[in-house]
Amino acid sequence: MSRLFDHPRRGGASTFAGRLAGVAFAACVTLTSPAQANFADDAGSETVKLDGARSQVGFTVKVLWLVGVRGRFGKVDGTVYIDRFRNQISVDARIDVDAVSMDNKRYEDWVKSSEFFDVAKHPQIEFKSESFPQSRLRRGGELSGILTLRDVRQPVTFQLQPATCDRPAYECPIEVAGTIRRSEFDMRSRRGTLSDKVELQFSVYAIPPGETKDP
């Protein structure tokens, strides 16, 4: 079975769909169990599970536009969809908001509250990417799709960083960074002291073909 990091075939399509369509990194669609093995849907398509144990998402928001308050989501699940005929990839990722961790417990409780992520009503953040050329995993470039946060869907465009190894997603993470605005996701409190911009950093691994992970 071909691997996620293989070079694209000669003559494959390399078009990239512009804006992000609803997590993280090559297409966040319906999730299956992380323990499920990778499998081929047909002769030209393949799915690869994200490695939830190693993948993570971080965020930073500035207080008084000076001091950055940082947090991290330690639980990320999802699926990468690979179209071998067109050399295209899409991603469907989901982030467990309740699994957020911060250095300050008071801040941690606050970001889970209705003022920020509102974990009680919206326990997940979802990202569904548009298709992009497989070669972009190595070179870097734009990653667009739809981010769903607090049940608000917004098109976003993140930046996929160039790979730092020969087997991105397996030997090294796929790194993605971008910025969203709180106000676009119905988070409008404390506008006088808290920046509207929230920086997101995705560090994503996939489960190699033939391997499984315990849930």
Side-chain angles (χ1 to χ4, degrees):
M1 181 181 293
S2 299
R3 295 180 183 272
L4 176 62
F5 52 82
D6 286 344
H7 287 293
R9 295 176 184 172
R10 187 173 302 172
S14 60
T15 57
F16 171 72
R19 303 245 33 162
L20 195 86
V23 175
F25 337 34
C28 245
V29 198
T30 307
L31 296 176
T32 56
S33 168
Q36 218 173 336
N38 306 313
F39 62 92
D41 294 319
D42 52 48
S45 63
E46 179 183 339
T47 63
V48 176
K49 299 300 298 178
L50 295 184
D51 189 341
R54 293 195 293 168
S55 301
Q56 57 181 260
V57 178
F59 65 91
T60 304
V61 59
K62 290 186 178 180
V63 178
L64 297 176
W65 294 273
L66 295 173
V67 181
V69 177
R70 294 176 174 82
R72 181 175 65 87
F73 299 106
K75 188 174 180 181
V76 183
D77 292 308
T79 305
V80 178
Y81 298 89
I82 307 169
D83 184 336
R84 294 294 179 189
F85 286 128
R86 297 176 177 82
N87 293 316
Q88 296 280 305
I89 294 177
S90 61
V91 178
D92 183 346
R94 294 184 184 181
I95 302 164
D96 184 352
V97 185
D98 196 40
V100 64
S101 62
M102 304 180 73
D103 292 336
N104 187 308
K105 182 63 166 58
R106 183 166 60 89
Y107 286 160
E108 190 174 302
D109 291 338
W110 173 66
V111 298
K112 291 181 180 181
S113 73
S114 58
E115 276 194 278
F116 214 88
F117 293 124
D118 198 2
V119 173
K121 293 182 179 178
H122 312 291
Q124 286 188 329
I125 297 172
E126 184 177 9
F127 174 79
K128 292 190 177 186
S129 82
E130 293 185 348
S131 298
F132 62 92
Q134 186 173 337
S135 60
R136 191 163 297 179
L137 287 178
R138 290 178 173 275
R139 300 195 312 263
E142 288 187 340
L143 176 63
S144 295
I146 297 296
L147 184 70
T148 302
L149 173 59
R150 292 170 57 106
D151 280 349
V152 178
R153 293 164 51 87
Q154 291 286 350
V156 296
T157 298
F158 297 139
Q159 190 67 30
L160 184 66
Q161 305 300 315
T164 58
C165 66
D166 291 334
R167 302 175 67 203
Y170 301 136
E171 294 177 348
C172 62
I174 296 173
E175 302 281 1
V176 181
T179 301
I180 62 172
R181 291 187 177 274
R182 295 190 300 126
S183 58
E184 293 181 347
F185 296 91
D186 290 340
M187 292 182 283
R188 297 183 173 86
S189 65
R190 311 197 189 200
R191 296 289 293 274
T193 58
L194 194 66
S195 173
D196 191 37
K197 292 182 178 181
V198 179
E199 298 175 8
L200 297 175
Q201 307 88 33
F202 300 85
S203 183
V204 181
Y205 285 91
I207 300 174
E211 291 188 15
T212 60
K213 296 282 185 177
D214 293 332

